[in-house]
Amino acid sequence: SSLPVYLRDVHFIDPKGYGYLLSFNALMVVLFQFAVTRKISAKPPMVMMALGSLFYLVGYLLFGFLDQYALFFIAIAILTIGEMIVNPVAQSLVSRFSPEDMRGRYMAVFELSFTIPSAIGPLLAGVIMDNYDPNWVWYGCGILCFVAIIGFIYLHIHAAKRYNI
């Protein structure tokens, strides 16, 4: 949610330009989501979560390093690949971990895990953009993605056998 403000204030990109980036993201999902899901469905889920997070890491970091509008499409493409890997795997894991009679509750808590950061993230990003180098929003995202990658690899190594995932 901080990307449009960042693009407008730091790179002077018209809001319509941000709309084109979002449209490109949506087009990629429509064209490639089923193929990506088929390709990753037989792979270990935590490894796929780590891989998707790696795409997120690279995509977010690129926003901190790039300064040309056309190159932002590359960053969006990389983020979208991460999105197409992480989202179906994460939803599948929640479904597999939840007891059948509580699946709705588990999915609600899973969705809440996106709502809380969406409420806090813009405030933190705003503080960073107003008081520090705005690129640190994206560097910070990269750092958090790196932590997530380490966590997913740890879970793959230590929990895969226990939970048969």
mmCIF file of all heavy atoms in Angstrom, residues 36 40 44-60 77-90 141 145-146 148-149 152-153:
data_model
loop_
_atom_site.group_PDB
_atom_site.id
_atom_site.type_symbol
_atom_site.label_atom_id
_atom_site.label_comp_id
_atom_site.label_asym_id
_atom_site.label_seq_id
_atom_site.Cartn_x
_atom_site.Cartn_y
_atom_site.Cartn_z
ATOM 1 N N VAL A 36 1.717 -22.117 -13.129
ATOM 2 C CA VAL A 36 2.638 -22.090 -11.985
ATOM 3 C C VAL A 36 2.151 -23.052 -10.908
ATOM 4 O O VAL A 36 2.934 -23.831 -10.350
ATOM 5 C CB VAL A 36 2.783 -20.653 -11.424
ATOM 6 C CG1 VAL A 36 3.530 -20.648 -10.098
ATOM 7 C CG2 VAL A 36 3.488 -19.762 -12.435
ATOM 8 N N ILE A 40 4.262 -26.336 -9.360
ATOM 9 C CA ILE A 40 4.775 -26.400 -7.988
ATOM 10 C C ILE A 40 3.991 -27.348 -7.090
ATOM 11 O O ILE A 40 4.415 -27.618 -5.969
ATOM 12 C CB ILE A 40 4.808 -24.995 -7.340
ATOM 13 C CG1 ILE A 40 3.391 -24.442 -7.163
ATOM 14 C CG2 ILE A 40 5.689 -24.060 -8.137
ATOM 15 C CD1 ILE A 40 3.320 -23.170 -6.363
ATOM 16 N N PRO A 44 7.852 -29.794 -2.315
ATOM 17 C CA PRO A 44 7.669 -29.585 -0.880
ATOM 18 C C PRO A 44 7.167 -28.168 -0.585
ATOM 19 O O PRO A 44 7.766 -27.191 -1.051
ATOM 20 C CB PRO A 44 9.076 -29.787 -0.296
ATOM 21 C CG PRO A 44 9.833 -30.548 -1.332
ATOM 22 C CD PRO A 44 9.230 -30.174 -2.645
ATOM 23 N N PRO A 45 6.076 -28.044 0.148
ATOM 24 C CA PRO A 45 5.454 -26.730 0.330
ATOM 25 C C PRO A 45 6.351 -25.690 0.997
ATOM 26 O O PRO A 45 6.353 -24.533 0.593
ATOM 27 C CB PRO A 45 4.219 -27.004 1.184
ATOM 28 C CG PRO A 45 4.218 -28.433 1.496
ATOM 29 C CD PRO A 45 5.316 -29.110 0.777
ATOM 30 N N MET A 46 7.115 -26.077 1.998
ATOM 31 C CA MET A 46 7.960 -25.085 2.675
ATOM 32 C C MET A 46 9.101 -24.623 1.768
ATOM 33 O O MET A 46 9.522 -23.465 1.833
ATOM 34 C CB MET A 46 8.511 -25.626 3.997
ATOM 35 C CG MET A 46 7.459 -25.838 5.055
ATOM 36 S SD MET A 46 6.571 -24.321 5.436
ATOM 37 C CE MET A 46 5.230 -24.977 6.388
ATOM 38 N N VAL A 47 9.558 -25.498 0.910
ATOM 39 C CA VAL A 47 10.580 -25.106 -0.062
ATOM 40 C C VAL A 47 9.967 -24.113 -1.060
ATOM 41 O O VAL A 47 10.597 -23.118 -1.435
ATOM 42 C CB VAL A 47 11.164 -26.335 -0.788
ATOM 43 C CG1 VAL A 47 12.081 -25.925 -1.930
ATOM 44 C CG2 VAL A 47 11.895 -27.227 0.204
ATOM 45 N N MET A 48 8.734 -24.374 -1.471
ATOM 46 C CA MET A 48 8.057 -23.451 -2.387
ATOM 47 C C MET A 48 7.779 -22.105 -1.709
ATOM 48 O O MET A 48 7.887 -21.053 -2.340
ATOM 49 C CB MET A 48 6.754 -24.056 -2.910
ATOM 50 C CG MET A 48 6.966 -25.227 -3.850
ATOM 51 S SD MET A 48 7.875 -24.773 -5.351
ATOM 52 C CE MET A 48 9.540 -25.248 -4.933
ATOM 53 N N MET A 49 7.435 -22.130 -0.422
ATOM 54 C CA MET A 49 7.232 -20.871 0.314
ATOM 55 C C MET A 49 8.547 -20.093 0.374
ATOM 56 O O MET A 49 8.556 -18.865 0.216
ATOM 57 C CB MET A 49 6.701 -21.147 1.723
ATOM 58 C CG MET A 49 5.321 -21.762 1.761
ATOM 59 S SD MET A 49 4.019 -20.656 1.243
ATOM 60 C CE MET A 49 3.925 -19.612 2.668
ATOM 61 N N ALA A 50 9.654 -20.791 0.593
ATOM 62 C CA ALA A 50 10.968 -20.128 0.617
ATOM 63 C C ALA A 50 11.291 -19.564 -0.769
ATOM 64 O O ALA A 50 11.781 -18.432 -0.883
ATOM 65 C CB ALA A 50 12.053 -21.103 1.077
ATOM 66 N N LEU A 51 11.015 -20.329 -1.811
ATOM 67 C CA LEU A 51 11.275 -19.860 -3.173
ATOM 68 C C LEU A 51 10.433 -18.621 -3.495
ATOM 69 O O LEU A 51 10.941 -17.625 -4.023
ATOM 70 C CB LEU A 51 11.003 -20.969 -4.188
ATOM 71 C CG LEU A 51 11.177 -20.580 -5.662
ATOM 72 C CD1 LEU A 51 12.634 -20.213 -5.946
ATOM 73 C CD2 LEU A 51 10.701 -21.715 -6.551
ATOM 74 N N GLY A 52 9.150 -18.688 -3.176
ATOM 75 C CA GLY A 52 8.283 -17.532 -3.413
ATOM 76 C C GLY A 52 8.750 -16.317 -2.632
ATOM 77 O O GLY A 52 8.734 -15.189 -3.140
ATOM 78 N N SER A 53 9.194 -16.534 -1.407
ATOM 79 C CA SER A 53 9.710 -15.435 -0.594
ATOM 80 C C SER A 53 11.002 -14.870 -1.174
ATOM 81 O O SER A 53 11.274 -13.674 -1.046
ATOM 82 C CB SER A 53 9.929 -15.896 0.850
ATOM 83 O OG SER A 53 8.693 -16.247 1.441
ATOM 84 N N LEU A 54 11.777 -15.724 -1.826
ATOM 85 C CA LEU A 54 12.983 -15.236 -2.501
ATOM 86 C C LEU A 54 12.612 -14.297 -3.657
ATOM 87 O O LEU A 54 13.230 -13.249 -3.846
ATOM 88 C CB LEU A 54 13.821 -16.406 -3.011
ATOM 89 C CG LEU A 54 15.088 -16.039 -3.775
ATOM 90 C CD1 LEU A 54 16.065 -15.271 -2.881
ATOM 91 C CD2 LEU A 54 15.752 -17.295 -4.324
ATOM 92 N N PHE A 55 11.585 -14.656 -4.399
ATOM 93 C CA PHE A 55 11.101 -13.754 -5.455
ATOM 94 C C PHE A 55 10.606 -12.441 -4.845
ATOM 95 O O PHE A 55 10.881 -11.361 -5.381
ATOM 96 C CB PHE A 55 9.990 -14.414 -6.279
ATOM 97 C CG PHE A 55 10.499 -15.341 -7.341
ATOM 98 C CD1 PHE A 55 10.488 -16.712 -7.141
ATOM 99 C CD2 PHE A 55 10.985 -14.846 -8.543
ATOM 100 C CE1 PHE A 55 10.947 -17.568 -8.120
ATOM 101 C CE2 PHE A 55 11.451 -15.699 -9.530
ATOM 102 C CZ PHE A 55 11.432 -17.075 -9.317
ATOM 103 N N TYR A 56 9.878 -12.530 -3.733
ATOM 104 C CA TYR A 56 9.440 -11.316 -3.045
ATOM 105 C C TYR A 56 10.648 -10.469 -2.645
ATOM 106 O O TYR A 56 10.664 -9.262 -2.835
ATOM 107 C CB TYR A 56 8.652 -11.650 -1.782
ATOM 108 C CG TYR A 56 7.194 -11.996 -1.986
ATOM 109 C CD1 TYR A 56 6.590 -12.965 -1.201
ATOM 110 C CD2 TYR A 56 6.399 -11.333 -2.907
ATOM 111 C CE1 TYR A 56 5.249 -13.276 -1.338
ATOM 112 C CE2 TYR A 56 5.054 -11.642 -3.054
ATOM 113 C CZ TYR A 56 4.492 -12.606 -2.265
ATOM 114 O OH TYR A 56 3.158 -12.910 -2.399
ATOM 115 N N LEU A 57 11.647 -11.110 -2.058
ATOM 116 C CA LEU A 57 12.851 -10.402 -1.609
ATOM 117 C C LEU A 57 13.471 -9.614 -2.765
ATOM 118 O O LEU A 57 13.744 -8.413 -2.644
ATOM 119 C CB LEU A 57 13.850 -11.401 -1.029
ATOM 120 C CG LEU A 57 15.150 -10.854 -0.460
ATOM 121 C CD1 LEU A 57 15.640 -11.752 0.663
ATOM 122 C CD2 LEU A 57 16.229 -10.732 -1.496
ATOM 123 N N VAL A 58 13.690 -10.270 -3.878
ATOM 124 C CA VAL A 58 14.323 -9.616 -5.026
ATOM 125 C C VAL A 58 13.429 -8.498 -5.561
ATOM 126 O O VAL A 58 13.893 -7.383 -5.825
ATOM 127 C CB VAL A 58 14.657 -10.645 -6.133
ATOM 128 C CG1 VAL A 58 15.131 -9.953 -7.402
ATOM 129 C CG2 VAL A 58 15.695 -11.633 -5.636
ATOM 130 N N GLY A 59 12.146 -8.774 -5.690
ATOM 131 C CA GLY A 59 11.231 -7.761 -6.214
ATOM 132 C C GLY A 59 11.171 -6.526 -5.347
ATOM 133 O O GLY A 59 11.241 -5.389 -5.846
ATOM 134 N N TYR A 60 11.047 -6.706 -4.037
ATOM 135 C CA TYR A 60 10.999 -5.549 -3.137
ATOM 136 C C TYR A 60 12.315 -4.783 -3.139
ATOM 137 O O TYR A 60 12.328 -3.554 -3.166
ATOM 138 C CB TYR A 60 10.646 -5.980 -1.719
ATOM 139 C CG TYR A 60 9.184 -6.290 -1.523
ATOM 140 C CD1 TYR A 60 8.781 -7.488 -0.952
ATOM 141 C CD2 TYR A 60 8.199 -5.394 -1.912
ATOM 142 C CE1 TYR A 60 7.438 -7.781 -0.764
ATOM 143 C CE2 TYR A 60 6.853 -5.675 -1.747
ATOM 144 C CZ TYR A 60 6.481 -6.869 -1.169
ATOM 145 O OH TYR A 60 5.154 -7.153 -0.994
ATOM 146 N N ALA A 77 6.974 -7.894 -12.014
ATOM 147 C CA ALA A 77 6.927 -9.255 -12.561
ATOM 148 C C ALA A 77 7.531 -10.242 -11.569
ATOM 149 O O ALA A 77 6.972 -11.325 -11.338
ATOM 150 C CB ALA A 77 7.665 -9.317 -13.896
ATOM 151 N N ILE A 78 8.637 -9.874 -10.955
ATOM 152 C CA ILE A 78 9.287 -10.760 -9.983
ATOM 153 C C ILE A 78 8.411 -10.933 -8.750
ATOM 154 O O ILE A 78 8.235 -12.049 -8.245
ATOM 155 C CB ILE A 78 10.688 -10.224 -9.634
ATOM 156 C CG1 ILE A 78 11.601 -10.337 -10.864
ATOM 157 C CG2 ILE A 78 11.290 -10.968 -8.447
ATOM 158 C CD1 ILE A 78 12.914 -9.608 -10.754
ATOM 159 N N LEU A 79 7.823 -9.838 -8.267
ATOM 160 C CA LEU A 79 6.897 -9.944 -7.127
ATOM 161 C C LEU A 79 5.703 -10.829 -7.471
ATOM 162 O O LEU A 79 5.244 -11.622 -6.642
ATOM 163 C CB LEU A 79 6.396 -8.558 -6.716
ATOM 164 C CG LEU A 79 7.345 -7.687 -5.927
ATOM 165 C CD1 LEU A 79 6.778 -6.280 -5.777
ATOM 166 C CD2 LEU A 79 7.613 -8.286 -4.561
ATOM 167 N N THR A 80 5.197 -10.699 -8.676
ATOM 168 C CA THR A 80 4.032 -11.478 -9.088
ATOM 169 C C THR A 80 4.358 -12.962 -9.142
ATOM 170 O O THR A 80 3.527 -13.802 -8.750
ATOM 171 C CB THR A 80 3.506 -10.982 -10.447
ATOM 172 O OG1 THR A 80 3.219 -9.585 -10.348
ATOM 173 C CG2 THR A 80 2.245 -11.727 -10.857
ATOM 174 N N ILE A 81 5.539 -13.308 -9.591
ATOM 175 C CA ILE A 81 5.943 -14.722 -9.583
ATOM 176 C C ILE A 81 5.952 -15.234 -8.143
ATOM 177 O O ILE A 81 5.443 -16.327 -7.863
ATOM 178 C CB ILE A 81 7.316 -14.904 -10.260
ATOM 179 C CG1 ILE A 81 7.210 -14.590 -11.748
ATOM 180 C CG2 ILE A 81 7.852 -16.325 -10.038
ATOM 181 C CD1 ILE A 81 8.539 -14.452 -12.456
ATOM 182 N N GLY A 82 6.503 -14.444 -7.228
ATOM 183 C CA GLY A 82 6.475 -14.832 -5.817
ATOM 184 C C GLY A 82 5.061 -15.009 -5.309
ATOM 185 O O GLY A 82 4.743 -15.975 -4.609
ATOM 186 N N GLU A 83 4.198 -14.089 -5.684
ATOM 187 C CA GLU A 83 2.785 -14.159 -5.289
ATOM 188 C C GLU A 83 2.124 -15.426 -5.816
ATOM 189 O O GLU A 83 1.372 -16.100 -5.093
ATOM 190 C CB GLU A 83 2.080 -12.914 -5.833
ATOM 191 C CG GLU A 83 0.600 -12.858 -5.623
ATOM 192 C CD GLU A 83 -0.032 -11.656 -6.326
ATOM 193 O OE1 GLU A 83 0.683 -10.840 -6.948
ATOM 194 O OE2 GLU A 83 -1.269 -11.562 -6.255
ATOM 195 N N MET A 84 2.411 -15.767 -7.063
ATOM 196 C CA MET A 84 1.786 -16.948 -7.667
ATOM 197 C C MET A 84 2.305 -18.249 -7.061
ATOM 198 O O MET A 84 1.640 -19.280 -7.158
ATOM 199 C CB MET A 84 2.009 -16.938 -9.182
ATOM 200 C CG MET A 84 1.224 -15.862 -9.898
ATOM 201 S SD MET A 84 1.285 -15.972 -11.705
ATOM 202 C CE MET A 84 3.005 -15.644 -12.041
ATOM 203 N N ILE A 85 3.470 -18.193 -6.430
ATOM 204 C CA ILE A 85 3.999 -19.374 -5.745
ATOM 205 C C ILE A 85 3.474 -19.434 -4.317
ATOM 206 O O ILE A 85 2.964 -20.462 -3.869
ATOM 207 C CB ILE A 85 5.548 -19.365 -5.764
ATOM 208 C CG1 ILE A 85 6.071 -19.522 -7.191
ATOM 209 C CG2 ILE A 85 6.106 -20.464 -4.862
ATOM 210 C CD1 ILE A 85 7.562 -19.289 -7.346
ATOM 211 N N VAL A 86 3.578 -18.339 -3.594
ATOM 212 C CA VAL A 86 3.265 -18.338 -2.159
ATOM 213 C C VAL A 86 1.775 -18.515 -1.887
ATOM 214 O O VAL A 86 1.391 -19.320 -1.028
ATOM 215 C CB VAL A 86 3.793 -17.047 -1.493
ATOM 216 C CG1 VAL A 86 3.223 -16.871 -0.096
ATOM 217 C CG2 VAL A 86 5.315 -17.065 -1.447
ATOM 218 N N ASN A 87 0.930 -17.773 -2.568
ATOM 219 C CA ASN A 87 -0.495 -17.771 -2.204
ATOM 220 C C ASN A 87 -1.168 -19.139 -2.278
ATOM 221 O O ASN A 87 -1.813 -19.557 -1.310
ATOM 222 C CB ASN A 87 -1.251 -16.729 -3.021
ATOM 223 C CG ASN A 87 -0.938 -15.321 -2.574
ATOM 224 O OD1 ASN A 87 -0.289 -15.103 -1.548
ATOM 225 N ND2 ASN A 87 -1.378 -14.348 -3.337
ATOM 226 N N PRO A 88 -1.060 -19.873 -3.378
ATOM 227 C CA PRO A 88 -1.747 -21.174 -3.385
ATOM 228 C C PRO A 88 -1.140 -22.174 -2.403
ATOM 229 O O PRO A 88 -1.861 -22.973 -1.799
ATOM 230 C CB PRO A 88 -1.613 -21.661 -4.824
ATOM 231 C CG PRO A 88 -0.585 -20.817 -5.467
ATOM 232 C CD PRO A 88 -0.466 -19.561 -4.677
ATOM 233 N N VAL A 89 0.175 -22.122 -2.226
ATOM 234 C CA VAL A 89 0.821 -23.049 -1.289
ATOM 235 C C VAL A 89 0.387 -22.724 0.141
ATOM 236 O O VAL A 89 0.047 -23.636 0.912
ATOM 237 C CB VAL A 89 2.361 -22.990 -1.429
ATOM 238 C CG1 VAL A 89 3.032 -23.822 -0.352
ATOM 239 C CG2 VAL A 89 2.786 -23.467 -2.808
ATOM 240 N N ALA A 90 0.367 -21.449 0.490
ATOM 241 C CA ALA A 90 -0.024 -21.065 1.849
ATOM 242 C C ALA A 90 -1.470 -21.472 2.140
ATOM 243 O O ALA A 90 -1.766 -22.020 3.206
ATOM 244 C CB ALA A 90 0.156 -19.559 2.036
ATOM 245 N N CYS A 141 11.638 -4.527 3.633
ATOM 246 C CA CYS A 141 10.847 -5.646 3.101
ATOM 247 C C CYS A 141 11.766 -6.803 2.714
ATOM 248 O O CYS A 141 11.449 -7.969 2.973
ATOM 249 C CB CYS A 141 10.039 -5.202 1.887
ATOM 250 S SG CYS A 141 8.644 -4.137 2.271
ATOM 251 N N CYS A 145 11.743 -10.550 4.216
ATOM 252 C CA CYS A 145 11.639 -11.713 3.323
ATOM 253 C C CYS A 145 12.771 -12.695 3.584
ATOM 254 O O CYS A 145 12.555 -13.910 3.570
ATOM 255 C CB CYS A 145 11.652 -11.279 1.860
ATOM 256 S SG CYS A 145 10.149 -10.452 1.334
ATOM 257 N N PHE A 146 13.963 -12.179 3.841
ATOM 258 C CA PHE A 146 15.096 -13.054 4.147
ATOM 259 C C PHE A 146 14.823 -13.856 5.419
ATOM 260 O O PHE A 146 15.081 -15.065 5.471
ATOM 261 C CB PHE A 146 16.386 -12.241 4.277
ATOM 262 C CG PHE A 146 17.589 -13.083 4.568
ATOM 263 C CD1 PHE A 146 18.164 -13.847 3.571
ATOM 264 C CD2 PHE A 146 18.125 -13.132 5.845
ATOM 265 C CE1 PHE A 146 19.272 -14.645 3.840
ATOM 266 C CE2 PHE A 146 19.229 -13.917 6.126
ATOM 267 C CZ PHE A 146 19.809 -14.681 5.123
ATOM 268 N N ALA A 148 11.908 -14.643 6.549
ATOM 269 C CA ALA A 148 10.877 -15.628 6.198
ATOM 270 C C ALA A 148 11.493 -16.828 5.476
ATOM 271 O O ALA A 148 11.121 -17.976 5.754
ATOM 272 C CB ALA A 148 9.805 -14.979 5.326
ATOM 273 N N ILE A 149 12.425 -16.575 4.577
ATOM 274 C CA ILE A 149 13.079 -17.666 3.857
ATOM 275 C C ILE A 149 13.780 -18.601 4.831
ATOM 276 O O ILE A 149 13.636 -19.828 4.744
ATOM 277 C CB ILE A 149 14.078 -17.107 2.814
ATOM 278 C CG1 ILE A 149 13.323 -16.419 1.686
ATOM 279 C CG2 ILE A 149 14.975 -18.209 2.265
ATOM 280 C CD1 ILE A 149 14.205 -15.566 0.783
ATOM 281 N N PHE A 152 11.144 -20.662 6.621
ATOM 282 C CA PHE A 152 10.568 -21.728 5.802
ATOM 283 C C PHE A 152 11.549 -22.878 5.609
ATOM 284 O O PHE A 152 11.154 -24.038 5.621
ATOM 285 C CB PHE A 152 10.095 -21.188 4.452
ATOM 286 C CG PHE A 152 8.890 -20.304 4.552
ATOM 287 C CD1 PHE A 152 8.876 -19.062 3.935
ATOM 288 C CD2 PHE A 152 7.765 -20.695 5.258
ATOM 289 C CE1 PHE A 152 7.772 -18.239 4.017
ATOM 290 C CE2 PHE A 152 6.647 -19.878 5.356
ATOM 291 C CZ PHE A 152 6.651 -18.647 4.730
ATOM 292 N N ILE A 153 12.805 -22.555 5.437
ATOM 293 C CA ILE A 153 13.811 -23.615 5.303
ATOM 294 C C ILE A 153 13.917 -24.404 6.608
ATOM 295 O O ILE A 153 13.980 -25.633 6.601
ATOM 296 C CB ILE A 153 15.170 -23.025 4.881
ATOM 297 C CG1 ILE A 153 15.069 -22.513 3.435
ATOM 298 C CG2 ILE A 153 16.288 -24.055 5.012
ATOM 299 C CD1 ILE A 153 16.251 -21.697 2.982
#
